[in-house]
Amino acid sequence: MKAAPLLSVENLTVRFPGATNWFGQVTSQVHAVNNVDLCVLPGESLGIVGESGCGKSTLVQAVIGLVRLTSGRVLVDGHDFAGANGTLKRDLRQKMQIVFQDPQSSLDPRLPVWRLITEPLHIRGGMPAAALRARAEELAVSVGLRSDQLDRLPHEFSGGQRQRIAIARALSTDPELLILDEPTSALDVSVQAQIINLLLKLQRELGLSYLFISHDVSLVRHFCDRVAVMYLGQIVETGPAEAVFDDPAHPYTRTLLASVPSLENSLPDVDASLTGELPNNRRLPAGCYYRERCRSAVPGCELPQALLAVPKANAESAPRHQARCCLHMPA
Amino acid sequence: MVAINPEDQSAAGRVPKRSRLHFLWYLTRRSPLTLVGLLIITLLVIMIVGAPFIAPYDPNKVMLSARLMPPSAAHWFGTDEVGRDLFSRVIYGSRASCGAAFMIVLISMSIGVFLGCLSGIVGGVFDSAMMRIMDVVLALPALVLAMALAAALGPSLFNSMLAVAIVRIPAYVRLARGQTLSLRERVFVKASRTFGASNLYILRWHMLPNALSPLIVQATLDLGGIVLIAAALSFIGLGAQPPTAEWGALVSSGRSFILDQWWYGTFPGLAILVTAMGCNLLGDGIRDMLDPRLGTR
Amino acid sequence: MTAHSVQRPHALSIENLSLEFPTYAGAVKALDGVTIKVGNAEIVGLVGESGCGKSVSTMAATRLLPEGRYKITQGSIRLFGRDPMAMDEEELQQVRGKLVSTIFQEPMNALNPTIRIGQQLVSVIRRHEALGRKAAEAVAVNILADMLIPEPARIMQAYPFELSGGMRQRVLIAMAFSCNPGLIIADEPTTALDVTVQAAILRLIQGRARRTGTSVVFISHNIAVVSQICDRLYIMYAGRIVESGPTRAVLDRPQHPYTRALLRCLPERVRPKEPLESIPGTVPNLLDPPPGCFYRPRCPEADARCMEKPHSTALPGGQAVSCWQRAGHPSHPSSEVPS
């Protein structure tokens, strides 16, 4: 019944050297991503929510191969992505493409649109220019650009159109999974709506899977089937979008949801959980990472927390909704 | 903060295309000095290309009957000690002086950009070694190196050009390396890597095209300084050898007559001054125009 | 002078202001007949997408636009009844610190990276108030504590780079409030920050302004953020005010088609996975804007009347809208937005 995951991340950890001594030895490390497990099934959207510094961008870069993994594995279609090379690597690359946050910087300002869109194919090689152009035209139309715009340069387009170009580029290799790294946060709301609608339409038509990274909780709730909430490089809560957002189990998720600006709610009261600083990720806290800012911290929080199923009256979604908080665990 | 930038507002709609004439008019209004620079360089190019048509006399024709004549209708800049027409010599001198400067920039820029990009991409020990070597080269004064080369290989325009070119390489290496390093972190280069692009691909399609404009600005600004250095080398006798008409050499021979025949050294000197100024004005103008904060045109 | 007037002058009053930037390609008409009134102790929001002129209008009012790069073609500005355009540099310095403070989006650019936080705060306070060093330091510590900054005494000794973005922004807000200005202009102060920090900062600005009776102009592209702290809203589009009114009224009964579309774009009011309402087309080119209503090319309700420029029509309840479709019928039957 359960389909094989398209992407699965197993126990992924990324550390950067934080400081070095005079001899070039690393004396402290930045713990960017700590033991993250996640998987994306065919046709589903997994959202990763978290604030700046929570490690969501590093996680994405590690998955796509821009950052070296410290430990753990990234499997694409069951094959180890980081360890692959040759034609296997090439084939795996085709399956997974990325759309970056700011289309202004993710498109080379000196290349015309058709070259930008077909860059992954151009790099792969073996296609004549005429075929690349024809493919570019086809892709441009599918994301809502006009075919007479193919010879223009990126600066002649608005932000939303540029992001369409970036999406067309990601689609050029017929991928099965798109990684969307804050794809609309550089855009205005009305344009954001256009891009989100386009992505939803593409998903319906092409059966794409999405790994959607965002700090915008209401957008993730709208867009994703499942979500993972990250805090300090760790997944603190994960589950179906409605379960996590309507009935958050982790205190951090609750604070996050309460802070989301909304047309209906008034401002939340300010307390320590809002004013405190994010702990330093050079030295990880013992026990629960959120303990120092947590309003409901109790004895027991100083022990390491495991990601465990949240007990639910509704047994159906119970095993899939997990949180890393001892308050919810049967003693 | 976005709203203050007038360009941003036009980004959404299409900016209407304007004619070349409009561009010149805009330049006159916003930056008349750039226009002056452009004018000087244009005149200079016309001079270099059309020297035989503009010069009224053969620059090397000796006319002992007309020695050291002051400026007149027949000889606009006067004549020298063997009666050669100075105006013609200044016109022809632009070929030697500016041609040399241009060659120097071309040589140092191509070597410098190649080494700089290589250094930026390869990195590590190679990069460190390269930068140290460049520090050493940077410490060499152009004139001293030129003298050493002249002493070893004999004085000639080519040898002094070589000396100046070598000394100018580090500037381009540093600039190209800096560009490469900053471009390497740009998102579109990272995107290219996720598509499986090799270093060579990124260098060819992303780095060179994007690094080019600051390099061109640097080259234009350099040109002015190099015209001065080339003239200085000829002035001290290490560059163009007589009877070649060259500005620095002309000033040098005019020096002995400066008290009684002021025109001899003055006009070639003015030519050097105006050329150097023209290059600097144009270079500054191009830099301002390419600066994204000041608008793209 | 408004000596004969019994009312105190508005904190900020921008009247029918039009402003353009001359560029290579022609004049960019950044503002076109903008009228904004900010009363005393009032928190007013300015909402619109990038390039709509929301920052330009307040920067014009405080003369922070680059001198000589813009041209005011009509209208007037009054800051507490005085004309900033007529002030010399010295008066402006006085006004900027004492009467009006601005909080910008990027706090790192507004703080000197080489000077300790405390010293920067103290020098701002002492520039505008006759206080000794010790007294000014005490005031500074108090204000920092007011901004819920933990260990204010330690923060006073810190350099800007040692603080997180949220902390720096709180220091800047403290700085802005330090001289008890009558008006604070907050230009996207929370856009670069995380939502949890944003919530705290909005609370702080609101609380402090209410307690001291300071007027605030809050500029944001995020209508939800603005709606949480503002009494009244101005919605801007392409350099014009399209709608204004009390926050609740504008949110519950938006009159202008643009305001409605803006509210429907938000995922908050739509069921998951349903298409969001998006606005077709793009913002008009301000070098060469279309005739009549600027929103007409994207507006589903446009008709022949819209070829002429609409005036602002006052509606009951303090709302005003610039739209021909609402001019005749103040209580349009379809004006309720299903939520």
Side-chain angles (χ1 to χ4, degrees):
Chain A
M1 169 70 216
K2 199 181 170 188
L6 202 52
L7 169 75
S8 72
V9 171
E10 292 174 359
N11 207 17
L12 180 73
T13 298
V14 178
R15 285 187 208 124
F16 298 116
T20 51
N21 64 11
W22 283 23
F23 305 103
Q25 291 163 322
V26 176
T27 52
S28 78
Q29 289 192 313
V30 174
H31 299 255
V33 178
N34 304 309
N35 303 320
V36 165
D37 286 287
L38 50 84
C39 67
V40 183
L41 303 176
E44 81 165 349
S45 308
L46 172 66
I48 297 185
V49 203
E51 299 186 283
S52 52
C54 75
K56 57 190 194 300
S57 291
T58 310
L59 173 66
V60 167
Q61 299 209 348
V63 167
I64 199 78
L66 285 173
V67 164
R68 191 187 295 272
L69 319 180
T70 305
S71 68
R73 291 201 305 170
V74 174
L75 302 175
V76 178
D77 231 6
H79 302 280
D80 186 0
F81 184 67
N85 42 34
T87 38
L88 176 62
K89 182 87 170 186
R90 205 190 72 184
D91 291 345
L92 293 181
R93 271 189 207 287
Q94 315 284 311
K95 288 180 194 287
M96 177 167 74
Q97 294 285 350
I98 182 163
V99 176
F100 290 95
Q101 172 173 4
D102 182 7
Q104 164 112 35
S105 56
S106 71
L107 301 175
D108 188 330
R110 298 198 180 261
L111 289 177
V113 169
W114 73 272
R115 273 285 282 113
L116 289 170
I117 292 180
T118 53
E119 185 171 2
L121 302 174
H122 190 248
I123 290 170
R124 194 178 62 183
M127 270 173 92
L132 288 178
R133 228 194 125 84
R135 177 79 176 128
E137 186 162 345
E138 189 185 316
L139 288 162
V141 171
S142 74
V143 297
L145 295 167
R146 291 198 314 274
S147 53
D148 61 304
Q149 293 170 325
L150 286 179
D151 290 309
R152 295 199 186 151
L153 293 173
H155 76 87
E156 298 179 62
F157 293 87
S158 66
Q161 286 171 317
R162 284 190 206 135
Q163 197 58 294
R164 287 174 194 265
I165 297 171
I167 292 171
R169 174 171 72 179
L171 292 176
S172 66
T173 58
D174 291 317
E176 292 169 38
L177 170 72
L178 283 196
I179 297 179
L180 308 166
D181 186 1
E182 306 249 14
T184 61
S185 62
L187 307 173
D188 279 319
V189 271
S190 67
V191 181
Q192 159 174 301
Q194 293 175 5
I195 297 296
I196 292 296
N197 289 346
L198 171 67
L199 289 169
L200 288 171
K201 183 185 120 204
L202 289 171
Q203 184 168 44
R204 277 195 307 275
E205 288 171 2
L206 306 172
L208 292 171
S209 305
Y210 290 138
L211 179 61
F212 185 88
I213 318 300
S214 183
H215 67 278
D216 184 338
V217 174
S218 40
L219 200 59
V220 170
R221 172 187 224 145
H222 181 78
F223 193 83
C224 296
D225 305 299
R226 284 193 305 126
V227 289
V229 181
M230 279 186 82
Y231 180 77
L232 220 62
Q234 208 179 38
I235 291 180
V236 293
E237 182 160 1
T238 176
E242 63 272 27
V244 173
F245 287 133
D246 295 342
D247 184 19
H250 198 282
Y252 174 68
T253 316
R254 278 191 232 128
T255 306
L256 192 65
L257 292 177
S259 312
V260 173
S262 142
L263 296 171
E264 318 302 336
N265 303 350
S266 54
L267 282 169
D269 280 326
V270 177
D271 63 52
S273 64
L274 294 179
T275 58
E277 293 282 271
L278 209 61
N280 190 339
N281 58 5
R282 297 210 173 183
R283 203 167 347 103
L284 291 174
C288 175
Y289 290 0
Y290 189 59
R291 177 164 49 105
E292 287 158 34
R293 296 170 68 188
C294 187
R295 257 190 282 194
S296 29
V298 292
C301 288
E302 70 281 356
L303 300 171
Q305 309 286 313
L307 201 55
L308 295 171
V310 176
K312 284 272 169 95
N314 173 6
E316 205 177 306
S317 72
R320 296 174 56 207
H321 186 183
Q322 299 173 313
R324 207 181 279 277
C325 179
C326 61
L327 293 173
H328 293 275
M329 303 312 142
Chain B
M1 289 315 297
V2 179
I4 185 172
N5 219 341
E7 282 87 57
D8 282 13
Q9 279 140 340
S10 56
R14 301 264 299 119
V15 178
K17 287 249 188 282
R18 301 294 178 117
S19 66
R20 292 278 151 91
L21 216 68
H22 183 86
F23 169 72
L24 280 182
W25 178 80
Y26 178 78
L27 208 59
T28 338
R29 218 178 35 136
R30 286 315 294 254
S31 164
L33 283 179
T34 310
L35 197 70
V36 172
L38 190 67
L39 216 67
I40 291 173
I41 301 302
T42 314
L43 283 177
L44 199 69
V45 169
I46 294 175
M47 226 157 87
I48 292 169
V49 175
F53 305 103
I54 302 167
Y57 300 91
D58 179 338
N60 294 324
K61 192 177 158 216
V62 177
M63 255 174 47
L64 290 171
S65 56
R67 287 167 51 203
L68 295 171
M69 300 274 280
S72 65
H75 301 283
W76 289 2
F77 288 0
T79 60
D80 67 2
E81 74 273 26
V82 292
R84 290 175 293 199
D85 177 47
L86 274 174
F87 182 60
S88 306
R89 284 182 76 73
V90 168
I91 302 257
Y92 271 94
S94 65
R95 290 188 158 181
S97 293
C98 300
F102 191 73
M103 286 308 292
I104 291 170
V105 170
L106 206 67
I107 293 170
S108 51
M109 184 164 148
S110 22
I111 297 176
V113 169
F114 175 74
L115 293 179
C117 287
L118 203 66
S119 200
I121 287 187
V122 175
V125 181
F126 180 83
D127 183 37
S128 308
M130 176 70 74
M131 291 329 282
R132 294 298 78 75
I133 293 172
M134 287 304 134
D135 287 344
V136 172
V137 177
L138 205 61
L140 293 173
L143 287 175
V144 174
L145 186 67
M147 281 185 219
L149 273 180
L153 306 170
S156 77
L157 191 57
F158 178 78
N159 286 344
S160 57
M161 265 167 56
L162 199 66
V164 180
I166 289 173
V167 174
R168 289 281 158 161
I169 288 175
Y172 291 97
V173 171
R174 285 172 173 230
L175 193 62
R177 175 176 174 269
Q179 287 286 316
T180 315
L181 288 181
S182 79
L183 282 167
R184 206 166 64 173
E185 296 305 311
R186 293 279 287 276
V187 183
F188 62 81
V189 171
K190 286 190 174 176
S192 204
R193 283 204 194 286
T194 69
F195 307 142
S198 64
N199 277 340
L200 206 64
Y201 184 94
I202 288 172
L203 184 69
R204 162 70 187 85
W205 291 104
H206 296 305
M207 296 212 171
L208 279 181
N210 281 292
L212 216 54
S213 39
L215 284 167
I216 286 173
V217 172
Q218 171 77 28
T220 320
L221 284 171
D222 251 15
L223 214 51
I226 288 174
V227 166
L228 284 179
I229 294 181
L233 283 171
S234 297
F235 182 83
I236 57 174
L238 294 177
Q241 297 302 309
T244 319
E246 204 274 348
W247 293 343
L250 285 177
V251 174
S252 173
S253 23
R255 193 178 43 138
S256 16
F257 303 94
I258 197 75
L259 289 179
D260 298 316
Q261 283 83 30
W262 57 269
W263 57 87
Y264 193 162
T266 307
F267 286 112
L270 275 179
I272 297 170
L273 175 82
V274 169
T275 306
M277 200 175 74
C279 290
N280 282 330
L281 289 179
L282 187 66
D284 276 345
I286 296 179
R287 187 191 49 204
D288 290 352
M289 275 187 270
L290 291 175
D291 189 337
R293 281 167 303 174
L294 299 171
T296 46
R297 279 157 291 263
Chain C
M1 285 306 288
T2 51
H4 58 277
S5 162
V6 262
Q7 266 186 320
R8 278 169 69 200
H10 281 100
L12 171 67
S13 156
I14 296 176
E15 192 84 53
N16 198 25
L17 184 71
S18 295
L19 182 150
E20 53 185 49
F21 294 102
T23 68
Y24 161 64
V28 175
K29 296 164 193 73
L31 298 180
D32 182 13
V34 168
T35 297
I36 296 168
K37 307 265 177 193
V38 181
N40 286 299
E42 193 181 27
I43 303 182
V44 169
L46 231 53
V47 194
E49 299 179 275
S50 48
C52 74
K54 51 193 193 298
S55 298
V56 173
S57 26
T58 54
M59 288 177 90
T62 46
R63 287 270 296 273
L64 285 173
L65 291 173
E67 291 293 334
R69 298 286 294 268
Y70 67 100
K71 203 169 88 196
I72 289 181
T73 49
Q74 65 164 359
S76 66
I77 304 170
R78 291 289 176 275
L79 272 173
F80 298 97
R82 299 167 63 191
D83 182 3
M85 293 299 154
M87 292 178 193
D88 59 26
E89 198 48 43
E90 205 174 312
E91 278 177 281
L92 272 177
Q93 296 261 319
Q94 274 295 316
V95 165
R96 280 190 198 136
K98 196 77 193 130
L99 289 179
V100 187
S101 290
T102 306
I103 305 167
F104 289 107
Q105 178 175 346
E106 191 29 74
M108 200 58 203
N109 299 340
L111 289 168
N112 184 336
T114 60
I115 300 178
R116 291 179 201 276
I117 298 286
Q119 243 170 308
Q120 300 194 45
L121 260 173
V122 165
S123 75
V124 168
I125 294 171
R126 291 187 63 189
R127 200 179 315 148
H128 297 287
E129 259 158 272
L131 285 177
R133 169 154 294 276
K134 279 270 170 296
E137 261 170 33
V139 172
V141 169
N142 259 332
I143 297 173
L144 287 180
D146 232 28
M147 288 294 130
L148 294 181
I149 290 174
E151 304 176 68
R154 188 180 64 82
I155 298 294
M156 293 276 285
Q157 292 303 313
Y159 286 99
F161 72 87
E162 295 176 75
L163 306 180
S164 68
M167 201 61 96
R168 281 200 287 264
Q169 193 60 290
R170 264 182 271 168
V171 168
L172 270 194
I173 294 170
M175 217 176 258
F177 276 108
S178 64
C179 298
N180 300 314
L183 173 66
I184 288 203
I185 294 171
D187 191 348
E188 305 256 9
T190 58
T191 304
L193 305 176
D194 288 321
V195 280
T196 53
V197 182
Q198 167 172 285
I201 284 186
L202 293 178
R203 249 276 132 87
L204 292 173
I205 294 180
Q206 192 190 38
R208 175 91 194 182
R210 290 269 186 265
R211 252 179 295 133
T212 54
T214 311
S215 308
V216 179
V217 179
F218 194 97
I219 299 173
S220 180
H221 66 281
N222 188 333
I223 198 165
V225 168
V226 171
S227 71
Q228 286 189 308
I229 84 162
C230 294
D231 306 319
R232 272 193 317 122
L233 296 185
Y234 287 92
I235 314 283
M236 290 191 77
Y237 181 74
R240 289 178 182 169
I241 305 276
V242 294
E243 181 163 0
S244 64
T247 303
R248 235 28 270 180
V250 172
L251 293 185
D252 294 342
R253 294 179 302 281
Q255 296 296 320
H256 199 280
Y258 176 66
T259 318
R260 294 183 195 189
L262 210 54
L263 289 168
R264 288 205 210 100
C265 283
L266 297 175
E268 194 180 332
R269 292 190 168 181
V270 184
R271 259 186 307 163
K273 299 266 178 186
E274 295 280 310
L276 300 171
E277 180 131 350
S278 65
I279 307 178
T282 51
V283 184
N285 182 352
L286 294 178
L287 280 168
D288 184 22
C293 174
F294 286 170
Y295 190 60
R296 178 180 50 86
R298 307 172 77 180
C299 182
E301 301 177 42
D303 62 21
R305 278 183 300 173
C306 302
M307 289 300 286
E308 257 179 75
K309 183 182 169 181
H311 347 269
S312 175
T313 311
L315 306 174
Q319 247 171 305
V321 61
S322 293
C323 178
W324 287 113
Q325 306 304 326
R326 305 288 171 274
H329 340 262
S331 55
H332 199 272
S334 69
S335 59
E336 291 284 331
V337 162
S339 51

